[in-house]
Amino acid sequence: MNQVYVGGSYFHIYIAILKSLDRKDKSTKSLLILNDHTPGVDKIIPLLEKSGYFDHIIHVPFVTLKRRIKEEQGTLSRIVSRNRFAIEYVDQNSPILQYDSFIRNAEINLFYNLGLSSFYFLIKYKHNFIRMLEDGEHNYHPKVGKFKAWRRRFLLHTAIGEGFDPEVKEIEVQHVHRLNPRVRHKGKTLELSRMRESLSPEEQHKILSLFLNGQTVPVTDGKNLLLITQPLSEDKLMTEGEKIKMYDRILNQYGEGHNIFIKGHPRELTMYSGKLNHAFTEIPRPFPLEMMDFMNGVSFDRGITIFSSSLYNLQCIRERIFLGREFIKEFKQQITQI
């Protein structure tokens, strides 16, 4: 059956490419819908069109439209008419209506758990087969409790999100056992390793070239450390100053004797050069880290992150250090006591 992929990050594009190449029926068609969750992600569209991985590609600014609804409609109006606004704003401010017939006759693959880019499809295309695909750690830590789910479904008559809607038939992730018990029965295994390993060297090179677009990943031999940063200040979990201090402290503790490489999150606004008290090499941000396994000779003795799932997806890292959200809380408590 035809497939629709809805996402907004470079990782989402990468998974959609793998899924598209892995499809058993090569006669089926595909539509990639990119949103504006990651600033500048739409710049890759011309390269994707040349690649031939998808039959159709469009850009729909779901994040911007959600902001417009909030700015242009009153609170009561948004509560009463949220479903109507979700459909009208998207239909009237994007090219998506041109593909309405295609979407209605396709399976819909949603990368996002929440937000307008999920709710639009859950509301408008509720009779389709809808699948959620892995979006990292978000899949395993739902924010919608039982009461909020009940209120959205039966009081507000709108979508719930996070896979709790009956319209979502499958949730395809790498670690089904980690899904919330309320949705675990929908779990299917995302065979990321198998899909990656099935690619020919030529296909690997083609995908690498697509994302790198002339840039390089200058990882050299030696004792290497990879720090995967995240948009902690952009997501209001801490200030930018606190974030920089925290990463400096992490590198003080784990980085001695290593060549330090930093992979900044594509949504981060922070430029670490000149702010961290460590020399480092930055890996291009518009690049799915999982693709480093395509590169011969690239390896890291140690990889560190707060909670990025990319760390677990990489095979080229020997020691993985996953600090966890509690580390942020402990760090902030420590600096307030100084």
Side-chain angles (χ1 to χ4, degrees), residues 71-334:
E71 292 171 350
E72 296 173 6
Q73 305 296 334
T75 302
L76 180 60
S77 181
R78 293 201 310 272
I79 293 174
V80 174
S81 304
R82 64 172 62 200
N83 291 355
R84 178 168 63 86
F85 288 149
I87 294 172
E88 287 181 357
Y89 271 73
V90 174
D91 285 349
Q92 294 172 9
N93 296 281
S94 78
I96 201 167
L97 272 183
Q98 301 172 34
Y99 297 90
D100 180 71
S101 178
F102 183 96
I103 297 171
R104 290 189 184 279
N105 293 281
E107 294 182 348
I108 299 173
N109 300 274
L110 304 176
F111 284 99
Y112 286 109
N113 298 322
L114 295 169
L116 184 59
S117 63
S118 290
F119 283 22
Y120 172 82
F121 295 95
L122 290 168
I123 294 166
K124 185 173 181 179
Y125 298 101
K126 61 176 62 180
H127 299 298
N128 287 54
F129 184 95
I130 299 178
R131 176 187 298 109
M132 278 177 52
L133 293 176
E134 180 160 317
D135 184 33
E137 286 299 299
H138 301 292
N139 294 100
Y140 309 113
H141 304 285
K143 298 179 180 179
V144 178
K146 291 183 178 180
F147 174 72
K148 185 179 286 188
W150 177 87
R151 184 181 64 184
R152 287 180 176 177
R153 188 72 181 177
F154 299 107
L155 192 61
L156 301 177
H157 302 290
T158 190
I160 302 170
E162 298 193 322
F164 295 124
D165 297 271
E167 289 80 10
V168 174
K169 307 303 183 187
E170 286 183 2
I171 303 176
E172 197 169 323
V173 293
Q174 292 184 82
H175 311 290
V176 173
H177 68 280
R178 294 182 59 203
L179 288 172
N180 186 282
R182 293 153 59 198
V183 295
R184 197 173 296 156
H185 64 283
K186 301 181 183 183
K188 302 289 182 182
T189 301
L190 175 66
E191 297 178 322
L192 179 59
S193 296
R194 181 192 61 77
M195 290 191 294
R196 181 181 60 233
E197 292 166 3
S198 68
L199 297 175
S200 67
E202 294 76 18
E203 203 68 72
Q204 291 180 15
H205 177 73
K206 180 180 177 181
I207 299 173
L208 274 173
S209 300
L210 169 67
F211 285 100
L212 285 174
N213 193 24
Q215 296 178 288
T216 59
V217 179
V219 180
T220 56
D221 292 335
K223 197 173 182 181
N224 297 326
L225 176 145
L226 175 64
L227 173 63
I228 305 172
T229 68
Q230 292 169 275
L232 304 175
S233 55
E234 291 78 4
D235 291 344
K236 311 301 182 186
L237 295 177
M238 55 173 45
T239 67
E240 182 177 73
E242 289 172 336
K243 181 172 69 173
I244 291 168
K245 287 180 181 178
M246 183 186 69
Y247 284 134
D248 253 332
R249 182 173 296 185
I250 290 170
L251 292 175
N252 287 339
Q253 183 174 353
Y254 296 102
E256 185 176 355
H258 289 77
N259 304 315
I260 297 172
F261 294 84
I262 293 181
K263 174 61 168 70
H265 194 280
R267 284 199 296 112
E268 275 192 281
L269 302 177
T270 304
M271 296 291 109
Y272 290 99
S273 181
K275 295 181 179 179
L276 289 172
N277 296 318
H278 295 81
F280 67 90
T281 300
E282 184 166 10
I283 295 172
R285 296 189 184 189
F287 176 73
L289 264 177
E290 289 78 3
M291 294 181 61
M292 296 192 77
D293 288 327
F294 292 169
M295 299 177 174
N296 294 327
V298 171
S299 65
F300 298 92
D301 293 272
R302 181 175 286 171
I304 305 172
T305 188
I306 301 297
F307 50 79
S308 174
S309 59
S310 297
L311 182 63
Y312 288 137
N313 295 336
L314 285 168
Q315 304 301 310
C316 59
I317 295 177
R318 294 189 182 93
E319 179 189 5
R320 296 173 177 84
I321 300 173
F322 196 92
L323 297 172
R325 292 174 182 266
E326 194 64 27
F327 183 87
I328 299 175
K329 182 179 178 180
E330 292 173 359
F331 171 79
K332 293 182 73 172
Q333 288 176 342
Q334 290 171 5

Side-chain angles (χ1 to χ4, degrees), residues 5 11-21 32 54 111:
Y5 299 97
F11 175 73
H12 297 162
I13 297 171
Y14 172 56
I15 297 299
I17 290 173
L18 292 181
K19 293 283 290 183
S20 183
L21 289 171
L32 175 66
F54 306 100
F111 284 99

Side-chain angles (χ1 to χ4, degrees), residues 2-3 5 20 23 26-32 48-49 51-58 99 102:
N2 293 343
Q3 300 292 316
Y5 299 97
S20 183
R23 69 191 188 280
K26 302 300 181 181
S27 67
T28 59
K29 304 295 184 181
S30 58
L31 165 65
L32 175 66
L48 283 171
E49 290 173 334
S51 74
Y53 289 129
F54 306 100
D55 297 283
H56 311 284
I57 306 170
I58 60 173
Y99 297 90
F102 183 96

